[in-house]
Amino acid sequence: MNQLSLNLVAIAVFLMTLTTLLGPLLHISPAIPAIAIFGMMAIGTLDAFSFQGQGQNVLLDWIAGFSPAHRERIIRHEAGHFLVAQQLGISVTDYSLTAWEALRKGFAGQGGIQFDTQELDQQLQQGKLSAQWLDRFCTVWMAGIAAEKWQYGNAEGGSDDRLKLRAVLNHLKFSDAEAEQKERLCVLRAKTLLEENSAAYDALVEALTRRDSVADCQAALAAHLTSTIINQVA
């Protein structure tokens, strides 16, 4: 069960408990909260099987979106991915900053930065991946976590990013210890790139907040970035 499903269950349990305690005082029939909870769980089951959990993503993301701090953290997380991808020569094709935007664009999960992964996919299908491409993509995947740690001192997001990294490393037969070391190293590399380009990062955050196009976001970066340093991670 993913974190969103667990959150939905937690909400259902809270509502059940609350209505059970307040029901007698408000003269609410015990059947009403039971029916409501059953309905929520039925909708959740339908969503999981028919829409791959996208409904839960949209609902919980909409609730969390009432917090300006939460919205800003997401933007700063995704800006980390965008900037580091730009620096390492990995094309950004699109982005979404909410689950609803992701659903409208046909992206899975809660959205985020979409990359051109054609080279990665081709090499993985052949059962091999060059060290250079592995390090580039691993650094980009860890860049959101690196951005949060740099800006806030801790990372609340990034679980899906870690899953992507671990899936590829497991496919390439990395041990758990080697995967953990690779993750830490890539977070550090991404954080260094972000710190070295703080002005470009701030400009990108502003562009993403305005929902500028990918081309406009790239232009905002180009105005502040040092030259693209593809070979820094090799």
Side-chain angles (χ1 to χ4, degrees):
M1 184 178 292
N2 61 31
Q3 187 59 48
L4 286 171
S5 298
L6 291 173
N7 290 340
L8 189 61
V9 171
I11 292 172
V13 171
F14 171 76
L15 291 176
M16 174 79 77
T17 303
L18 184 64
T19 52
T20 299
L21 293 174
L22 298 180
L25 297 176
L26 301 176
H27 305 291
I28 298 174
S29 169
I32 294 178
I35 292 172
I37 298 302
F38 177 79
M40 288 179 60
M41 299 308 295
I43 292 172
T45 301
L46 177 64
D47 174 52
F49 284 100
S50 301
F51 302 103
Q52 291 74 51
Q54 283 292 80
Q56 294 180 38
N57 289 338
V58 172
L59 173 61
L60 294 174
D61 189 60
W62 176 73
I63 294 172
F66 283 104
S67 166
H70 175 78
R71 293 197 300 270
E72 182 175 356
R73 182 182 279 261
I74 288 175
I75 291 172
R76 291 188 175 276
H77 178 107
E78 300 303 337
H81 288 303
F82 199 128
L83 186 150
V84 172
Q86 184 82 359
Q87 283 290 78
L88 298 182
I90 296 175
S91 299
V92 173
T93 58
D94 205 345
Y95 71 90
S96 57
L97 300 176
T98 68
W100 175 242
E101 290 177 11
L103 181 62
R104 286 192 305 159
K105 292 184 176 184
F107 301 152
Q110 292 177 282
I113 306 298
Q114 305 295 312
F115 308 106
D116 180 359
T117 62
Q118 182 176 357
E119 181 67 27
L120 174 69
D121 296 338
Q122 287 178 350
Q123 292 197 25
L124 286 175
Q125 287 174 4
Q126 295 169 2
K128 62 180 181 180
L129 182 62
S130 70
Q132 184 181 54
W133 276 104
L134 176 64
D135 283 343
R136 287 186 199 177
F137 272 99
C138 287
T139 302
V140 170
W141 286 328
M142 292 296 98
I145 292 173
E148 285 196 60
K149 288 185 175 181
W150 173 42
Q151 295 287 294
Y152 301 101
N154 69 305
E156 294 181 358
S159 58
D160 287 345
D161 300 324
R162 284 193 171 97
L163 287 175
K164 291 176 186 176
L165 181 142
R166 290 304 177 99
V168 170
L169 295 182
N170 288 339
H171 179 78
L172 296 174
K173 309 302 182 183
F174 276 63
S175 68
D176 289 343
E178 290 171 333
E180 289 177 6
Q181 182 179 14
K182 174 69 73 175
E183 180 180 318
R184 289 195 299 269
L185 182 59
C186 288
V187 169
L188 179 60
R189 285 171 171 166
K191 186 170 179 285
T192 299
L193 285 174
L194 294 170
E195 290 174 337
E196 290 176 348
N197 295 280
S198 59
Y201 176 81
D202 290 339
L204 178 59
V205 167
E206 293 179 6
L208 290 174
T209 300
R210 295 191 301 265
R211 298 302 198 277
D212 286 359
S213 68
V214 170
D216 287 340
C217 289
Q218 291 170 335
L221 282 175
H224 298 86
L225 278 174
T226 58
S227 59
T228 303
I229 42 179
I230 296 175
N231 293 324
Q232 174 160 337
V233 179

